[in-house]
């Protein structure tokens, strides 16, 4: 089935994040229609592909949390700092709890993770976010945003889809939750506020950082679908 890509939050076209979202619309749509997502929704996704995804996502989320902490150290607004540190320490606790349950259900052990290398796209995505944060804190925040926004839109759009595979439905429900929606909207507001203080040149760089992250999000599905790894032994 082909999925449309409605905006979760009808954006004001004057906002920087609305421009980011519009610029990434094709990339978001490609994620919505990627076989990993459509097969997850209809229950046809192989468990091997989902296991591969979960292991790579574990690496991603560890670093995603760390980057929130590093971004918080560059901020001055108390509310922004509190939000970022909360995300760093318990990155959406419901998401973390679900991931732990998934690892238990699928018997993904600590030893298996030790033997599982970080895939090329995972490495590239994390490296990209680190680069943006080291270059400019506003660009760093923009690079973090697609993970929130894309997953929340996917969760909202698929919330009425009942996947016949329980674990896949649990995955969908995590990102449709009110808590994750609130975190997404907070991060959108943070990026907009940071962008207001930037020059037009930096705002363009923020959009580029957002687009690159949206691209890596799309490649995350493809990497899991192909179970792609390095062309050499690690």
């Amino acid at each position: 089935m082909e999925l449309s890509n409605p905006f979760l939050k009808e954006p004001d076209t004057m906002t920087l994040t609305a421009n980011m979202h519009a610029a990434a619309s094709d990339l978001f749509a490609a994620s919505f229609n990627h076989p990993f997502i459509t097969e997850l929704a209809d229950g046809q996704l192989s468990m091997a592909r989902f296991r591969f995804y979960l292991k790579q996502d574990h690496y991603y989320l560890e670093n995603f949390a760390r980057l929130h902490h590093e971004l918080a150290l560059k901020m001055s607004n108390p509310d922004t700092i509190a939000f970022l540190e909360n995300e760093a320490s318990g990155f959406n606790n419901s998401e973390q709890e679900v991931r732990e349950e998934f690892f238990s259900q699928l018997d993904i052990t600590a030893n298996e993770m030790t033997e599982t290398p970080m895939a090329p796209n995972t490495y590239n995505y994390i490296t990209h976010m680190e680069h943006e944060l080291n270059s400019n804190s506003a660009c760093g925040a923009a690079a973090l945003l697609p993970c929130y926004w894309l997953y929340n839109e996917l969760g909202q759009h698929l919330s009425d889809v009942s996947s016949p595979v329980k674990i896949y439905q649990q995955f969908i429900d995590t990102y449709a939750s009110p808590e994750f929606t609130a975190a997404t909207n907070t991060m959108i507001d943070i990026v907009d506020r940071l962008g207001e203080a930037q020059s037009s040149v930096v705002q363009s760089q923020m959009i580029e950082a957002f687009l690159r992250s949206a691209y890596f999000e799309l490649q995350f599905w493809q990497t899991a679908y192909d179970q792609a790894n390095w062309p050499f032994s690690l």
Side-chain angles (χ1 to χ4, degrees):
M1 62 179 176
E2 184 163 327
L3 302 176
S4 60
N5 181 23
F7 283 0
L8 166 68
K9 175 182 176 183
E10 189 67 33
D12 177 348
T13 55
M14 298 302 292
T15 66
L16 179 59
T17 56
N19 289 330
M20 292 176 180
H21 193 288
S25 61
D26 287 347
L27 290 167
F28 272 41
S31 279
F32 269 64
N33 293 302
H34 194 280
F36 186 96
I37 297 300
T38 58
E39 291 177 17
L40 182 139
D42 63 22
Q44 298 303 307
L45 183 70
S46 75
M47 198 56 66
R49 284 169 168 154
F50 191 62
R51 286 180 98 261
F52 189 99
Y53 165 86
L54 288 175
K55 289 187 287 183
Q56 294 304 313
D57 194 51
H58 176 79
Y59 287 128
Y60 174 85
L61 289 177
E62 281 187 333
N63 286 279
F64 197 59
R66 173 179 58 81
L67 291 168
H68 276 72
H69 170 66
E70 292 179 9
L71 179 60
L73 295 176
K74 298 174 181 288
M75 297 293 101
S76 58
N77 182 287
D79 291 336
T80 299
I81 294 170
F83 171 80
L84 293 171
E85 290 291 12
N86 181 64
E87 296 294 284
S89 61
F91 185 71
N92 289 298
N93 288 327
S94 60
E95 183 180 27
Q96 185 175 351
E97 290 167 5
V98 168
R99 286 300 195 278
E100 290 171 357
E101 183 180 344
F102 287 173
F103 270 52
S104 177
Q105 288 183 43
L106 300 180
D107 195 28
I108 300 174
T109 65
N111 284 340
E112 182 174 354
M113 285 303 306
T114 299
E115 296 171 358
T116 301
M118 187 182 293
N121 184 70
T122 311
Y123 177 86
N124 290 341
Y125 194 175
I126 292 167
T127 301
H128 152 66
M129 291 188 295
E130 289 178 334
H131 168 76
E132 296 296 344
L133 183 56
N134 289 333
S135 297
N136 181 291
S137 57
C139 291
L144 296 175
L145 181 55
C147 182
Y148 286 92
W149 211 341
L150 176 64
Y151 273 71
N152 199 205
E153 287 194 351
L154 284 167
Q156 293 286 335
H157 189 68
L158 295 175
S159 60
D160 293 332
V161 175
S162 182
S163 177
V165 180
K166 181 180 177 181
I167 199 169
Y168 295 168
Q169 189 60 44
Q170 287 179 278
F171 177 86
I172 292 167
D173 291 343
T174 302
Y175 299 106
S177 71
E179 294 80 10
F180 193 77
T181 299
T184 299
N185 288 333
T186 298
M187 195 64 185
I188 290 170
D189 290 340
I190 287 171
V191 173
D192 273 326
R193 290 201 306 271
L194 290 173
E196 288 173 358
Q198 307 302 318
S199 68
S200 60
V201 171
V202 174
Q203 288 179 353
S204 294
Q205 292 169 348
M206 291 173 70
I207 294 173
E208 185 174 47
F210 183 94
L211 284 168
R212 286 176 174 167
S213 288
Y215 169 80
F216 286 124
E217 288 289 349
L218 175 59
Q219 292 306 307
F220 217 93
W221 314 125
Q222 191 63 48
T223 293
Y225 201 78
D226 295 339
Q227 298 178 65
N229 228 313
W230 301 97
F232 47 79
S233 298
L234 294 174

